[in-house]
Amino acid sequence: MKDSVATASVYVLNVRPERRETLLNAEPGWFGGPRASEPVPAFGHSRRAPLVVLAAFEDGHLTHVGEARKGASAGTGLVRLNMISLEALTRPIPFEEVIGRVPAKFKPGLRKALSISGLLPPKTMSAVVDVLSEMDPVLQEKLSRMSASRRELMAALGDREKKNLALQKETLGAALEIAGVGTQGILEWTPGTVERASFLDGLGAARVREDVMLHADLASLPGFNAISEAPHIAVRTFQSETDSAVRVTVVMANRLPLEQQTGADLIYFNETYRSFILVQYKALEKVDNEHEFRWTDEDQFSGEIARMDKLLEELDKIEPDTDPDAFRLSSNPFFLKFCSRIVFNPDDRGLFPGMYLPLGLWKSLAQSGRLKGARGGNLLTYNNVGRKLSGTEFITLVAGSWVGTTITQSASLETMIRSVLESGRTVTFAVKRSTPPAPAVAAEVFPELDEGEALTPEEALVEITK
């Protein structure tokens, strides 16, 4: 069966007259503008991909634009179209004006699409995006990810660059999921017209190396000394849309240009429990109808396993930690994720399908002889691996620091980061920040009053001088 690909889409919504005032007066979203919801006929769209709504609050005119998400069922044959931060256009744009500007071959289909609510067909969408981006600056910003210039920049990326960006995006997505922030921020990525060394460079509000080095808060991160040695650094702090106290700072660092990098590792550090884990990613190849991974005892993969073993030996020399916050089900911080598909799709905020294996389980499997092919070669498949961790299971274990280094072992973070950088890989270093303490509130001081005495309004006012 062919894998479905999550792609950005545009939904045209003709708002019924009796619903217009209600939707425009909805509660504001996190980023301004009303956050409205409308039941619409069911439509096909991946919830992991961007969706933009073009709304008509006047007959025959596009009037608003906003981000949207496909919601839950709203009845038989209906789903909710959740609109986020609806923004008024510079001016209402007549349907006929848009139709008049697109190439002739798209005019009949566009006229039909604008007369009813629904997704624009992909090729029609591209033509409409290019036209609307020229007509209105608000639309140009909102529709930039569907533009022809973006497609051209994406097409210019080499295969090695796309693979490295895909792995870096995966490490970022995993960090955001573990931290409980959510992966919506990934969809902000845009290709650049200048050379970039990491996926994080393409996200808005990401700091580059010079700014990072001067930022005192970042310099206090554990392992920062090792990160500061890398020529290419980018950093951004993400926070939950629903709880501003939930935040994670993500740093991507590497020593090589994007096209020369050899992959990406995730190091995730929980500041509260002083625990970190490391995940290395490997691609499964599809042979016939089965995904498989092959390796030899002398190849790069075996060398990377040996590197983990050496680091683990150093961790094991550290005295056990008796602090209750240091309790772990396993203090081995190393994990492997074998991915069924590594494809760079910045319009998909989901994680790659695959399986997580703790390093200890991997070594047990390799030594047992179970991972052997018909001719005696080393072979891993979904069928012969037996037990494995799903994405949900892995995230749960790491999020609660049930697995990972103990408090005392975490002092070795610098060694771990240097080891990744020396291998030519990008290190994605994510730090789940502790909840900042609540600001101190001065206690109110009330005057002592005699029995029956009360403050007049004038006496209750207190002047505060600097």
Side-chain angles (χ1 to χ4, degrees):
M1 185 175 65
K2 186 178 180 180
D3 294 326
S4 59
V5 177
T7 57
S9 301
V10 172
Y11 192 100
V12 174
L13 177 67
N14 279 292
V15 184
R16 291 172 292 162
E18 67 273 17
R19 291 283 294 163
R20 292 172 183 174
E21 183 177 357
T22 300
L23 294 182
L24 289 177
N25 291 328
E27 290 293 321
W30 281 91
F31 305 105
R35 187 182 183 115
S37 179
E38 183 75 351
V40 299
F43 61 97
H45 177 77
S46 171
R47 289 183 173 89
R48 307 190 317 191
L51 181 62
V52 172
V53 61
L54 294 173
F57 282 85
E58 294 181 18
D59 293 339
H61 292 74
L62 296 175
T63 60
H64 290 72
V65 63
E67 294 181 23
R69 295 177 190 171
K70 182 180 177 181
S73 171
T76 303
L78 298 173
V79 295
R80 289 190 179 279
L81 180 67
N82 297 319
M83 294 167 281
I84 304 164
S85 305
L86 280 172
E87 187 173 353
L89 304 184
T90 305
R91 64 176 178 87
I93 300 177
F95 290 173
E96 289 302 320
E97 185 176 346
V98 181
I99 295 169
R101 293 198 183 191
V102 299
K105 62 181 178 180
F106 297 119
K107 292 182 187 293
L110 178 57
R111 182 171 279 106
K112 180 179 179 181
L114 290 172
S115 66
I116 58 175
S117 295
L119 288 178
L120 290 177
K123 292 183 179 180
T124 303
M125 179 193 76
S126 297
V128 170
V129 165
D130 291 341
V131 167
L132 291 178
S133 295
E134 295 177 357
M135 297 174 67
D136 191 298
V138 174
L139 285 168
Q140 184 177 29
E141 179 184 355
K142 296 289 186 182
L143 301 175
S144 60
R145 70 169 44 254
M146 293 94 161
S147 67
S149 59
R150 184 177 190 267
R151 294 194 299 274
E152 291 169 1
L153 289 170
M154 288 285 294
L157 292 170
D159 291 342
R160 186 75 171 268
E161 292 173 301
K162 289 179 181 177
K163 182 175 181 181
N164 283 319
L165 286 170
L167 288 168
Q168 292 167 16
K169 170 177 166 285
E170 173 75 4
T171 61
L172 173 60
L176 297 179
E177 289 282 15
I178 294 169
V181 169
T183 56
Q184 192 66 25
I186 286 177
L187 300 179
E188 298 174 15
W189 186 87
T190 57
T193 55
V194 297
E195 183 178 351
R196 287 174 172 167
S198 75
F199 181 83
L200 209 56
D201 290 326
L203 294 181
R207 301 188 188 97
V208 294
R209 190 183 199 283
E210 290 74 15
D211 297 331
V212 171
M213 299 303 296
L214 295 173
H215 202 284
D217 181 53
L218 299 174
S220 66
L221 291 177
F224 184 81
N225 286 338
I227 292 172
S228 65
E229 299 168 4
H232 307 291
I233 305 172
V235 61
R236 176 173 164 175
T237 296
F238 299 81
Q239 70 179 34
S240 169
E241 291 184 7
T242 56
D243 185 352
S244 60
V246 179
R247 58 201 178 109
V248 59
T249 297
V250 181
V251 182
M252 285 189 182
N254 45 62
R255 295 182 175 179
L256 298 171
L258 186 61
E259 69 274 9
Q260 295 178 21
Q261 295 165 25
T262 59
D265 290 356
L266 168 64
I267 297 179
Y268 182 91
F269 182 74
N270 186 311
E271 198 172 53
T272 301
Y273 293 101
R274 311 293 295 178
S275 175
F276 72 81
I277 58 95
L278 182 147
V279 185
Q280 188 168 116
Y281 295 82
K282 295 296 174 185
L284 294 167
E285 300 294 334
K286 191 168 185 179
V287 179
D288 297 328
N289 292 320
E290 189 171 42
H291 288 90
E292 62 180 40
F293 177 76
R294 292 183 180 272
W295 75 102
T296 67
D297 296 337
E298 294 81 28
D299 66 6
Q300 180 184 351
F301 174 71
S302 293
E304 290 164 352
I305 296 295
R307 174 169 59 92
M308 293 183 196
D309 287 339
K310 185 176 180 180
L311 292 168
L312 189 59
E313 287 177 8
E314 296 302 314
L315 290 175
D316 288 341
K317 294 177 183 178
I318 299 173
E319 289 293 324
D321 200 318
T322 58
D323 190 310
D325 284 347
F327 174 80
R328 311 284 183 258
L329 296 174
S330 171
S331 59
N332 185 333
F334 298 107
F335 291 82
L336 301 168
K337 182 178 181 182
F338 293 92
C339 305
S340 304
R341 183 179 70 249
I342 295 180
V343 177
F344 183 50
N345 181 3
D347 291 339
D348 186 348
R349 63 188 180 91
L351 301 180
F352 294 144
M355 55 180 159
Y356 292 88
L357 296 181
L359 179 63
L361 175 57
W362 167 264
K363 294 186 72 65
S364 177
L365 285 165
Q367 293 167 4
S368 71
R370 182 188 294 182
L371 305 183
K372 293 293 181 181
R375 299 183 180 179
N378 297 324
L379 174 68
L380 168 77
T381 69
Y382 279 96
N383 291 327
N384 70 7
V385 71
R387 290 187 298 168
K388 52 189 173 291
L389 290 176
S390 68
T392 301
E393 292 166 337
F394 170 77
I395 288 169
T396 300
L397 288 171
V398 177
S401 291
W402 294 110
V403 293
T405 55
T406 62
I407 295 174
T408 52
Q409 288 176 329
S410 292
S412 62
L413 257 175
E414 284 190 20
T415 302
M416 198 75 59
I417 292 171
R418 284 195 179 94
S419 177
V420 176
L421 292 173
E422 288 169 359
S423 70
R425 304 168 73 82
T426 289
V427 59
T428 299
F429 181 41
V431 181
K432 171 68 178 297
R433 310 310 300 267
S434 300
T435 303
V441 179
E444 294 184 78
V445 179
F446 296 96
E448 294 184 8
L449 302 175
D450 293 331
E451 185 175 355
E453 186 180 7
L455 288 176
T456 65
E458 292 77 11
E459 292 172 328
L461 296 175
V462 178
E463 181 181 0
I464 300 176
T465 60
K466 294 184 179 179

